[in-house]
Amino acid sequence: MRFSLVSQLIFKFWIARYSEDANNTLDCQEKIAQNIVDGIQECLIDGDMVTIWRNHRTPLQVWDLYQSGRRLEAKHTKAGHSRARKLYENALAIDPNFVPAKIVSTFIKVGELRLGWAPNFEEYLSQVVTEYEQLRDEHPSELYVHILGSYVDCLSGHHELARDRLSEVLRYVPDSPELKSYHALVYEANDRVEEAIKLYEDALELTPYPPNWIRTNLALAHLVGETERTEE
């Protein structure tokens, strides 16, 4: 049986066609639902970042847990991180091979290190490095692993290496507001605030509904830049 679906957003035309056995109707419905949400996320929120999880199919329940965790994590609150971590754990309990959930389970620890929530920075960083190296060995071609690696480099004090690694990833996903903002953070770590500001502004141009942390970081970068200009 052939299923045809056309979905149109205000400023993007998205279309997908499916050919499925009549006995797999439910599976086809899940694929359609995931692809529609992927299309909306790509247009309105995440841009090219959607490509990171689009090619990794998993049961709808796992995919929903993963996406819900991402939204909670993006709030950058301790409570949000705690709930997101639990959702990622639940996702991996159902599908331990869902690569994006494996990666983001380590990425959330990077955020906790960055935000000063880790109980012991050096021990926590060592744990993150170990998990990253395992992911790198298991999934060497995954862009999200390379993004994680750039943050590990940055936290380890290798700021230029982190910047160069993210620049390479951006060649493949140039229109991701989240990734451009990650890149901006690395530029800030290199004391290149004006370039970071430009990247944040570019990121905000890519989506009408950016995560709040991007606007917050842009405002803070402007304050840092203003302070530096005053001191000069």
Side-chain angles (χ1 to χ4, degrees):
M1 180 183 295
R2 176 176 292 275
F3 293 86
S4 294
L5 174 74
V6 177
S7 178
Q8 187 171 2
L9 302 179
I10 293 174
F11 50 89
K12 178 178 177 177
F13 185 71
W14 177 87
I15 185 170
R17 288 188 173 86
Y18 300 88
S19 295
E20 299 287 337
D21 187 277
N23 294 323
N24 293 328
T25 304
L26 183 60
D27 182 56
C28 185
Q29 288 175 341
E30 289 191 359
K31 289 180 181 178
I32 291 171
Q34 290 180 36
N35 276 279
I36 290 175
V37 176
D38 281 351
I40 293 171
Q41 287 177 318
E42 184 176 0
C43 290
L44 301 183
I45 304 172
D46 296 297
D48 285 347
M49 201 75 169
V50 170
T51 60
I52 286 173
W53 60 82
R54 175 178 282 154
N55 296 327
H56 295 280
R57 286 308 174 191
T58 190
L60 186 59
Q61 181 183 4
V62 175
W63 183 83
D64 183 56
L65 289 166
Y66 168 73
Q67 295 292 350
S68 297
R70 289 187 67 251
R71 295 302 162 214
L72 284 168
E73 187 180 352
K75 294 179 182 296
H76 287 276
T77 65
K78 282 188 176 182
H81 270 230
S82 178
R83 292 170 61 196
R85 185 194 291 273
K86 184 62 177 176
L87 291 175
Y88 298 148
E89 290 173 357
N90 292 344
L92 289 171
I94 300 169
D95 182 0
N97 296 315
F98 186 46
V99 176
K102 290 169 64 177
I103 297 170
V104 82
S105 293
T106 299
F107 224 123
I108 195 170
K109 296 174 184 175
V110 170
E112 290 163 1
L113 282 165
R114 239 181 4 93
L115 294 166
W117 297 341
N120 182 301
F121 185 91
E122 294 301 328
E123 289 182 7
Y124 212 58
L125 177 59
S126 177
Q127 180 184 345
V128 167
V129 170
T130 299
E131 292 179 12
Y132 158 67
E133 290 175 345
Q134 182 177 346
L135 287 165
R136 180 196 61 196
D137 293 343
E138 292 176 354
H139 311 285
S141 63
E142 283 290 335
L143 288 178
Y144 210 12
V145 172
H146 292 288
I147 297 168
L148 174 62
S150 71
Y151 261 70
V152 171
D153 289 335
C154 194
L155 288 169
S156 301
H158 308 305
H159 297 147
E160 290 188 6
L161 180 59
R163 183 195 65 212
D164 293 344
R165 192 195 296 266
L166 266 182
S167 295
E168 180 65 20
V169 173
L170 277 164
R171 291 176 54 198
Y172 299 95
V173 282
D175 293 330
S176 164
E178 185 176 357
L179 190 52
K180 277 189 181 289
S181 300
Y182 287 163
H183 205 196
L185 281 168
V186 174
Y187 269 91
E188 284 189 83
N190 280 276
D191 296 321
R192 296 171 65 172
V193 178
E194 294 303 322
E195 288 161 288
I197 288 172
K198 179 63 167 62
L199 283 168
Y200 284 132
E201 290 174 342
D202 288 348
L204 290 172
E205 288 292 325
L206 292 173
T207 170
Y209 302 105
N212 287 332
W213 68 269
I214 298 178
R215 291 195 183 98
T216 301
N217 282 22
L218 173 59
L220 291 172
H222 275 296
L223 285 173
V224 171
E226 190 65 34
T227 300
E228 290 178 351
R229 287 189 290 273
T230 301
E231 290 176 350
E232 291 174 357

